[in-house]
Amino acid sequence: MLNRIDLRGSAEDPRRLLPRAAIDVTVATEQVRPTVEAVREHGASAIREATHRFDGLEVKQLRVPTEEIERAEAELEPAVRAALLESIARARKVHEDQRRTEVTTVLGEGGTVTQRWLPVGRVGLYVPGGLAVYPSSVVMNVVPAQAAGVESIAVTSPPQKDTGLPNRNILAACALLGVDEVYAVGGAQAIAMFGYGFSDEEPACAPVDMITGPGNIWVTAAKRMLRGTVGIDAEAGPTEIAILADDSADPRHVAADLISQAEHDPLAASVLVTTSVELVDAVDAEVARQVAATRHIERVTEALNGPQSATVLVGDLAQGLRVVDAYGAEHLEIQTRDPRAVAERVRNAGAIFVGAWSPVSLGDYCAGSNHVLPTGGCARHSSGLSTQTFLRGVQLIEYSHDALQQVAGHVVALSDAEDLPAHGAAVKVRFNG
């Protein structure tokens, strides 16, 4: 049974009442600082030392040999191969449609501003490999980078204890996507590796311009440290699902979807927001039944019983929408009557799954959407990973003599108003002979 929060009739700000996982990235940042700084100073040798200290492994070669990547692809189970290829195809179709086009705005004769969209030069993509391994995250990171036109893509994922290499399915996914620069490095040292590179071991690793991909709190803390040295996508926290449901929802579906997110991590958040007490009771019964049959029962139970998970009772659908907007879920399911109309009223969510036949697990793998999404309420101001993540807007400003002369007086007036007369002089000198 999930904890219950009854907001019926409450006028309080829901943000102060809703459940959240308790994580402190600031404390974690100070704990990873020595590792990050060691990699900056000592390169590959520091990466090896951190991998031995944290993972208990002596990695033979930080960069995975090409033949290991090819072998993993050759040994891939046919069903997994077919699923990955379908996931890649659907994701590529969606992300290629996200590409932006160059636009030129004419501001009078001889004056134009052109908005260009240029890809980042080199990116480092982090793929988790702790409690679970995620070949699907290879797809979700690599495909939008490729759609944006990124020329240099590197992937890193933690080495597994039995092989000293990243998970075989992760390597196979890299092969299917044509990525051959892959590293057997995880944690904060992987983020530092991408941020600073290393040259004290061959083959060397060049620094990247941007790092993306989800990870644990140590990965998130390292990304925070390196923000500015490189671009990052977001500071990802524990995964979360919110389900907005009325009495038309099937409790079996709701329970299954809450459990599916709890399966990720003991800190994963599963939140049901509903107008129906009867649905709550039915979902509680279904959760008990389904959890007993799931493989990762301890992890799921801890997540569902944690302070980050709850059932929230609301008086009506309007209040339910206010609650989910305040929560800003990474994944939001709408299981109500006329779910599309309800979904279009939502303002804050990383991704919205509409209706009974669009579960979050579809989005994790084969919907074509991206599963790297903002967590911890960041959906109120941030977007998920997309082709646009890897594009930079660059403006080309091109004015002729006459076009500049037309606005010269305005430039001078504003520069005088800001007490920056040299700004105005830089325009006047062009017309003073």
Side-chain angles (χ1 to χ4, degrees), residues 134 136-138 140-141 214 330-331 363-365 369-373 385:
Y134 298 98
S136 58
S137 284
V138 180
M140 299 298 169
N141 280 272
E330 178 189 17
H331 309 94
D364 284 342
Y365 300 117
S369 56
N370 203 292
H371 77 204
V372 183
L373 300 166
L385 200 69

Side-chain angles (χ1 to χ4, degrees), residues 254-277:
V254 174
D257 295 349
L258 294 171
I259 291 168
S260 73
Q261 286 306 110
E263 184 176 42
H264 279 285
D265 189 292
L267 291 176
S270 295
V271 177
L272 170 61
V273 180
T274 183
T275 57
S276 172
V277 176

Side-chain angles (χ1 to χ4, degrees), residues 15 17 39-40 87 107 112 131 156 172 175 189 256 280 290 293 308 325 339 352 354 364 384 391 423:
R15 283 179 292 187
L17 304 172
V39 173
R40 181 186 62 192
S87 178
L107 298 115
T112 63
L131 285 178
T156 192
Q189 62 269 28
V280 173
Q290 293 184 32
Q308 73 275 13
D325 275 340
I352 305 172
V354 184
D364 284 342
L391 295 172
H423 282 61

Side-chain angles (χ1 to χ4, degrees), residues 178-247:
V179 175
D180 61 7
E181 185 180 352
V182 185
Y183 295 88
V185 184
Q189 62 269 28
I191 303 303
M193 175 188 71
F194 277 154
Y196 299 118
F198 64 78
S199 57
D200 57 323
E201 176 175 306
E202 291 296 334
C205 175
V208 303
D209 301 306
M210 170 172 274
I211 300 171
T212 72
N216 61 22
I217 191 170
W218 314 114
V219 169
T220 299
K223 287 169 77 174
R224 175 179 287 188
M225 275 193 67
L226 284 166
R227 183 194 292 268
T229 300
V230 296
I232 66 171
D233 52 346
E235 294 184 9
T239 191
E240 59 201 24
I241 182 176
I243 301 175
L244 178 60
D246 60 19
D247 60 2

Side-chain angles (χ1 to χ4, degrees), residues 150-167:
V150 175
E151 293 185 354
S152 179
I153 297 174
V155 169
T156 192
S157 190
Q160 303 299 295
K161 290 189 180 298
D162 56 341
T163 64
L165 297 169
N167 172 264

